[in-house]
């Protein structure tokens, strides 16, 4: 995506949220118009900065008034309507809508009746049980909101930003900083580079010999809302999307030591520093050096520093001091899955599903162009309202796929489905009809608030179904928006192994599901099988595979356990072992 397109996508996201509040509804005409426009710009190949209002309007999903707002932004750098909404609804108030169970109407009630205008205020009101007296609320909804807030754990003073919001900003900043003539190389470090689900801030390093102009350029970037500090080699800003970004300029000869230091984690750094001390050396953000003489041993690259310390290179996703330093010392790091290992994508939608945005033909030809060896088309099952496929539609699509197979001889196309797991663990269609599919993913799309025992039974019952090859986005979480269902992971892992069912690692940045902390619990289970899938609804979303892979790596998932890295024959043998 072009930089302007990324900026516009973020502004439209803001407009969506603000308009929800302004109109007191998450579904109003205007809200949906902005949402459609956002999806359209996201997958637009051309640069919106270069497009006229007429050209913008011609894009499917962009209406007249949004087209004018986009043009207003690319011409003037601001949108008057957005500025007005921002001043009317402060960001702390907007943030309240992220709490599950709190919609725009509730936010306005909270503000007008209880004077609550922030998450902290909401916490206070919950503690004193003042929510239950609001119109339309009660003890139950109060309890629900209270629990959701607790489990989300991303609010208050330790407010953290979901990676789906932070990563585009991080990439945008890197691109902007690397465009300065003085800068040779820029990287984001910290929790973002380690690929945590949420980040507190974005730590950026730039290699340059003249820091002054880089500092000037940085604080002058168009998406800078506030300047917190402007120093000689370090500055901090707040972006329009409300994220803190720190930029440090580092001399090129220290770049490795600095990226190592600022990537962290703190605990990983401490373990490395101890290894250095044991050897009579010091390790800091400038260099690895001999303590006595100050002679530099390594500083320019991270690789050189790990090597000097007698360690295998530790990928950033593993740097949490949970055994990776010992493993690197023993030459025993896992053989982590990489994007290049992936041969197939096993969760793909097209416009046959109500929420798909590229045609079947486009999804298949893009899979072929990208060099995939196999792909499973998995439209929603009939139980999913609006987006699901009736039996007739399934059979029609099967015929359409048969036609497309003739045109794509190097690509193996599986006709699959994404089934919905009912509260009791049953799925769509019937056994005979299900046997007609070649691959099925089954996912939880409803009833997120059952207790742990019932959720566990539900998922295990779906695994026992011979038609189900993988469980899609296991917990159903949306990072920062909806907590995942609670599961007895030990029981889930056991059932997956016993039934020959894979656990999907969903690549959507707001899902990253199975979450990496749960993947870590499966480190010692060699027979557990995973698949890393995109759940693409548009051709551009095949690219998301790298986020699923990064999440898998953070969970120490080795390539051998990822079924879609296997050659086709082996993969199909494994699928058929269950489908019979
Ligand atoms: P965050 O920002 O909470 O999402 O997590 P981090 O890991 O990005 O933490 P942050 O931004 O406070 O610091 C970035 C990195 O800088 C951190 O991972 C390690 C390094 N660092 C910061 N403060 C210290 C410190 O006091 N000692 C050591 N050894 N390293 C530090
Ligand atoms: Ca950080
Ligand atoms: Zn899906």
């Amino acid at each position: 995506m072009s930089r302007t397109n990324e900026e516009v996508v973020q502004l439209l996201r803001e407009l969506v949220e603000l308009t929800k509040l302004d109109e007191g509804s998450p579904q109003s005409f205007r809200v949906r118009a902005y949402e459609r426009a956002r999806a359209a710009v996201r997958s637009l190949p051309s640069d919106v900065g270069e497009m006229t209002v007429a050209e913008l309007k011609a894009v499917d999903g962009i209406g007249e008034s949004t087209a004018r707002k986009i043009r207003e932004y690319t011409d003037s750098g601001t949108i008057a309507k957005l500025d007005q909404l921002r001043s009317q609804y402060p960001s702390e108030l907007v943030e309240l809508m992220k709490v599950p169970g709190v919609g725009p109407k509730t936010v306005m009630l909270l503000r007008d009746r209880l004077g609550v205008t922030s998450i902290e205020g909401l916490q206070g009101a919950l503690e004193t049980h003042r929510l239950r007296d609001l119109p339309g609320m009660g003890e139950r909804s109060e309890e629900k909101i209270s629990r959701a807030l607790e489990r989300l754990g991303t609010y208050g003073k330790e407010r953290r930003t979901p990676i789906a919001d932070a990563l585009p900003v991080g990439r945008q900043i890197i691109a902007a900083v690397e465009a300065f003539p003085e800068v040779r190389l820029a990287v984001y470090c910290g929790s973002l580079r380690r690929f945590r689900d949420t980040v507190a801030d974005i730590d950026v390093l730039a290699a340059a010999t003249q820091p002054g102009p880089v500092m000037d350029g940085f604080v002058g970037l168009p998406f800078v809302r506030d300047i917190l500090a402007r120093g000689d080699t370090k500055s901090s800003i707040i972006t329009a999307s409300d994220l803190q970004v720190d930029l440090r300029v580092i001399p090129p000869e220290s770049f490795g030591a600095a990226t190592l230091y600022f990537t962290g984690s703190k605990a990983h750094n401490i373990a490395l520093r101890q290894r250095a001390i044991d050897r009579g050396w010091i390790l800091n953000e400038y260099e690895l050096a001999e303590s006595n003489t100050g002679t530099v041993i390594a500083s320019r690259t991270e690789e050189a520093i790990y090597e000097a310390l007698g360690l295998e290179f530790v990928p950033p996703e593993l740097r949490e001091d949970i055994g990776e330093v010992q493993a690197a010392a023993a030459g025993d790091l896992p053989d982590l899955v990489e994007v290049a290992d992936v041969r197939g994508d096993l969760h793909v939608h097209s416009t046959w599903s109500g929420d798909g945005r590229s045609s079947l033909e486009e999804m298949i030809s893009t899979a072929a162009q990208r060099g995939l060896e196999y792909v499973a088309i998995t439209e929603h099952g009939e139980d999913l309202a609006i987006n699901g496929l009736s039996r007739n539609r399934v059979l029609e699509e099967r015929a359409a796929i048969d036609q497309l197979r003739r045109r794509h001889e190097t690509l193996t196309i599986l006709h699959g489905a994404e089934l919905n797991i009912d509260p009791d663990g049953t799925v769509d269609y019937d056994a005979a009809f299900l046997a007609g599919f070649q691959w099925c993913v089954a996912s939880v799309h409803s009833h997120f608030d059952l207790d742990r025992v019932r959720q566990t039974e539900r998922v295990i019952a779906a695994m026992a179904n011979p038609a189900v090859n993988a469980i899609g986005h296991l917990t159903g979480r949306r990072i920062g928006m909806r907590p995942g269902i609670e599961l007895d992971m030990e029981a889930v892992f056991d059932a997956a192994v016993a039934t020959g069912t894979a656990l999907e690692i969903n690549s959507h940045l707001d899902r990253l599901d199975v979450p990496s902390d749960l993947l870590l619990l499966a480190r010692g289970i060699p027979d557990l099988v995973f698949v890393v899938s995109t759940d693409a609804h548009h051709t551009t979303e095949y690219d998301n595979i790298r986020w699923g892979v990064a999440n898998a790596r953070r969970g120490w998932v080795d390539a051998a356990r990822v079924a879609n890295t296997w050659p086709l024959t082996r993969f199909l043998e494994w699928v058929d072992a269950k489908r019979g």
Side-chain angles (χ1 to χ4, degrees), residues 160 190-191 194 199-201 203 261-266 269 273:
R160 303 185 65 83
S191 48
R194 301 201 309 281
V199 307
D201 64 0
D203 311 283
Y261 182 90
F262 289 106
T263 297
S265 65
K266 202 184 266 191
N269 288 351
R273 206 171 316 141

Side-chain angles (χ1 to χ4, degrees), residues 1 5-17 20 31-44 60-63 66 70 164-165 168 357 481 510:
M1 227 193 309
N5 290 23
E6 288 196 14
E7 285 163 19
V8 167
V9 166
Q10 280 172 42
L11 294 174
L12 287 170
R13 178 205 295 270
E14 222 186 323
L15 270 172
V16 166
E17 295 308 309
K20 281 181 188 169
V31 169
R32 282 182 294 133
Y34 290 141
E35 264 167 356
R36 270 197 307 273
R38 183 166 162 255
V41 176
R42 227 184 193 171
S43 42
L44 199 64
D60 197 21
I62 302 182
T66 311
I70 294 175
D165 296 329
R357 288 178 284 113
M481 290 183 280
D510 60 355

Side-chain angles (χ1 to χ4, degrees), residues 304-373:
I305 295 171
Y306 280 110
E307 197 186 335
L309 289 171
L311 297 170
E312 271 186 88
F313 178 79
V314 180
E317 302 93 323
L318 300 191
R319 299 182 193 169
E320 298 292 347
D321 194 27
I322 48 171
E324 77 281 6
V325 178
Q326 294 83 336
D332 208 14
L333 282 174
D335 179 17
L336 294 177
V337 57
E338 294 172 21
V339 172
D341 297 332
V342 174
R343 296 170 186 255
D345 198 331
L346 299 167
H347 188 162
V348 170
H349 298 267
S350 77
T351 46
W352 284 75
S353 291
D355 55 0
R357 288 178 284 113
S358 297
S359 70
L360 180 64
E361 220 175 313
E362 290 170 325
M363 292 309 287
I364 286 176
S365 58
T366 305
Q369 275 160 27
R370 293 178 64 94
L372 288 178
E373 291 168 37

Side-chain angles (χ1 to χ4, degrees), residues 158-161 189-194 196 198-203 246 248 258-271 273 283 285 319-320:
E158 291 96 47
R159 186 177 74 98
R160 303 185 65 83
T161 301
C189 298
S191 48
L192 189 58
R193 183 160 179 242
R194 301 201 309 281
R196 279 192 65 175
T198 61
V199 307
D201 64 0
I202 302 184
D203 311 283
D246 300 343
R248 291 178 176 80
T259 47
L260 186 61
Y261 182 90
F262 289 106
T263 297
S265 65
K266 202 184 266 191
H268 179 82
N269 288 351
I270 289 170
R273 206 171 316 141
L283 175 62
E285 61 264 56
R319 299 182 193 169
E320 298 292 347

Side-chain angles (χ1 to χ4, degrees), residues 347-349 353 355 378-380 384 417-419 441 443 445 472-473 504 506 508 511 534-537:
H347 188 162
V348 170
H349 298 267
S353 291
D355 55 0
T378 53
E379 313 291 4
H380 290 294
L384 192 68
E418 179 179 17
L419 307 168
V441 180
S443 317
H445 286 128
H473 45 71
E504 174 192 272
N506 190 289
H508 271 281
R511 289 194 185 271
T534 61
D535 195 359
H537 287 65

Side-chain angles (χ1 to χ4, degrees), residues 387-406:
N387 295 326
L389 268 65
S390 68
R391 291 162 202 235
N392 271 341
R393 294 277 292 156
V394 169
L395 298 177
E396 278 170 39
E397 183 180 50
R398 191 164 299 160
I401 287 176
D402 269 339
Q403 293 298 316
L404 288 165
R405 283 195 178 114
R406 293 185 202 158

